[in-house]
Amino acid sequence: MATLRRLREVPRHLLVCEKSNFGHDKSRHRQLVEKHYHNYRVSFLIPECGVLSKELSNLAMETGPYYFVKNLPLYELISPEFINNFVKKGSCYALTYNTNIDEDNTVALLPNGKLILSLDKDTYEETGLQGHPSRYSGRKIMKFIVSIDLVDLSSNLASKKYGRISWSFKEKKPLKFDFLLAWHHTGAEGPTMMTHFASYGIQEHQPKVALSTVVELQCPVLWSEEPQGSPEVSCSGPELLEWLGAVYSGAELNNNPSDFISTYCCPQPSTVVARAYLCTITGFILPEKICLLLEQLRHYFDEPKLAPWVTLSVQGFADSPVSWRENEHGFRKGGEHLYNFVIFSNQDYWLQMAVGADDDCPP
């Protein structure tokens, strides 16, 4: 019965909302975007918009490329060539593909050069590496977290530390994974991901972009000064986020009693816009690309527009070992870690950050 009760419990979620202005010296909008490393879906919604501007359209179409490598040995990510050519010459991202964070071994490479391993108990013991128990293991520790600083590691290739890790990955416990990889860099031309991993059959991919116009869309009324909402005056941030989820899912919002899929309706007060433009990008999307989108959207109101506000929503990979920065991430009953910007014409914005049961509070 206790197990049944736990299954019926609503999973814990945490939503943090804050209000600021892009012009404020202490605005941390860019920092929050840059530190959310592994993103699989980006969506923006613009009310009272029938045609997307050339600048926004180009940015949406140019969020790639990213790469897929099958059965890549983990020791390839600690090789001096990889570290010198990619980790030290830009922002390099990697994430294991088709691995479940609560059950499988998972690996992530962060742009600061940290390699994060989330390992089950048996694998952790077999590698002989130093780490610490997952904070979400419960009474019986089943997962361990190992963090390796690749930049520091490569500074002394003759050290015992490098030799021990290299021996562990090559001989003691050879680990192979399917990886998603992406690299953001500027400067001189050099080796590419395609040439470096050519022997592993690397594939290049572009994110999928879906563009659509929603007609006669009922939208919540928002007031930039009131993120908590005001009865009969404006809706709150959490109400907006729930509504956005319904819009992005293509749910009907008419509260029809005969609809067995959804009886959800738009929060009140609301207004009907003639059309709204919705863009959804799906793939392995870098924070640097999202920063460009956010920058373009904040300048959407540089010329007078009918839109009362625009939104930019970003969802992270549910099975990434980290959410923001190096904060440990788990799945349990829900692996969400996401954020949403609501941008107003006066350059005010709301920033909403949400995580699930096995996560630290968003930064």
Side-chain angles (χ1 to χ4, degrees):
M1 291 298 294
T3 301
L4 184 59
R5 282 197 300 272
R6 285 196 297 271
L7 290 173
R8 288 175 175 172
E9 287 177 359
V10 176
R12 165 194 173 272
H13 301 278
L14 181 62
L15 174 64
V16 175
C17 303
E18 60 183 56
K19 173 189 173 295
S20 187
N21 185 284
F22 288 111
H24 289 172
D25 292 338
K26 295 184 178 180
S27 175
R28 60 192 193 119
H29 59 277
R30 189 174 185 88
Q31 177 188 355
L32 264 295
V33 173
E34 290 175 342
K35 300 302 182 183
H36 194 262
Y37 300 126
H38 303 108
N39 311 288
Y40 86 94
R41 181 173 294 164
V42 177
S43 303
F44 59 85
L45 178 70
I46 307 177
E48 298 291 6
C49 176
V51 179
L52 204 61
S53 70
K54 183 179 180 181
E55 293 79 9
L56 270 174
S57 180
N58 288 342
L59 281 176
M61 295 297 178
E62 296 171 0
T63 50
Y66 65 95
Y67 306 92
F68 175 71
V69 185
K70 195 172 181 63
N71 291 324
L72 180 68
L74 193 54
Y75 68 77
E76 288 285 359
L77 297 187
I78 66 166
S79 70
E81 295 79 14
F82 178 78
I83 297 173
N84 291 329
N85 291 333
F86 299 101
V87 176
K88 291 183 177 180
K89 294 182 179 179
S91 300
C92 193
Y93 302 78
L95 182 66
T96 46
Y97 183 67
N98 272 343
T99 53
N100 299 318
I101 185 65
D102 289 346
E103 302 172 354
D104 305 324
N105 299 315
T106 59
V107 179
L109 174 61
L110 314 186
N112 60 6
K114 295 288 184 67
L115 188 66
I116 308 296
L117 286 67
S118 176
L119 305 175
D120 61 49
K121 184 174 183 292
D122 291 341
T123 303
Y124 174 71
E125 292 175 349
E126 289 174 24
T127 62
L129 300 175
Q130 292 184 346
H132 60 85
S134 165
R135 62 182 302 172
Y136 304 115
S137 289
R139 293 182 179 179
K140 188 176 181 180
I141 299 175
M142 299 302 296
K143 295 280 285 188
F144 288 81
I145 307 300
V146 177
S147 178
I148 302 171
D149 189 331
L150 297 185
V151 177
D152 176 68
L153 192 67
S154 67
S155 63
N156 187 1
L157 299 177
S159 67
K160 291 183 179 179
K161 182 179 181 180
Y162 183 84
R164 184 178 68 253
I165 295 174
S166 180
W167 171 74
S168 175
F169 289 167
K170 283 187 175 182
E171 300 179 37
K172 193 172 191 297
K173 185 61 178 178
L175 295 171
K176 294 183 178 182
F177 299 95
D178 296 348
F179 272 101
L180 296 175
L181 293 149
W183 184 40
H184 178 80
H185 69 104
T186 57
E189 292 295 324
T192 66
M193 287 275 184
M194 291 296 290
T195 57
H196 185 84
F197 293 113
S199 60
Y200 292 100
I202 184 172
Q203 302 172 12
E204 180 178 314
H205 294 274
Q206 293 290 339
K208 295 180 180 178
V209 182
L211 306 173
S212 62
T213 301
V214 185
V215 297
E216 299 297 322
L217 180 64
Q218 193 173 10
C219 296
V221 172
L222 306 178
W223 186 29
S224 65
E225 295 295 327
E226 293 285 351
Q228 73 274 19
S230 180
E232 299 182 1
V233 177
S234 65
C235 296
S236 67
E239 288 177 317
L240 170 76
L241 198 60
E242 186 178 35
W243 174 82
L244 278 175
V247 173
Y248 292 153
S249 301
E252 296 290 339
L253 305 178
N254 53 16
N255 192 22
N256 190 339
S258 63
D259 191 336
F260 293 98
I261 297 177
S262 172
T263 57
Y264 178 79
C265 61
C266 181
Q268 297 300 320
S270 66
T271 184
V272 176
V273 300
R275 62 189 63 192
Y277 208 94
L278 173 62
C279 175
T280 299
I281 308 164
T282 307
F284 191 40
I285 306 164
L286 299 188
E288 289 83 357
K289 302 292 186 179
I290 300 172
C291 281
L292 293 176
L293 272 174
L294 179 60
E295 189 68 15
Q296 190 64 47
L297 285 171
R298 64 169 285 203
H299 288 294
Y300 181 75
F301 295 105
D302 285 355
E303 296 179 2
K305 297 291 194 305
L306 292 175
W309 42 261
V310 300
T311 65
L312 175 69
S313 307
V314 180
Q315 293 175 269
F317 281 87
D319 290 292
S320 169
V322 297
S323 53
W324 273 273
R325 299 178 182 146
E326 295 174 39
N327 293 350
E328 186 183 345
H329 171 66
F331 193 96
R332 204 176 182 182
K333 294 182 180 180
E336 63 275 4
H337 57 105
L338 57 93
Y339 62 90
N340 179 63
F341 281 94
V342 187
I343 304 164
F344 296 91
S345 59
N346 62 355
Q347 291 296 290
D348 281 351
Y349 68 83
W350 299 350
L351 172 59
Q352 302 166 301
M353 298 167 284
V355 293
D358 285 356
D359 272 280
D360 287 332
C361 181

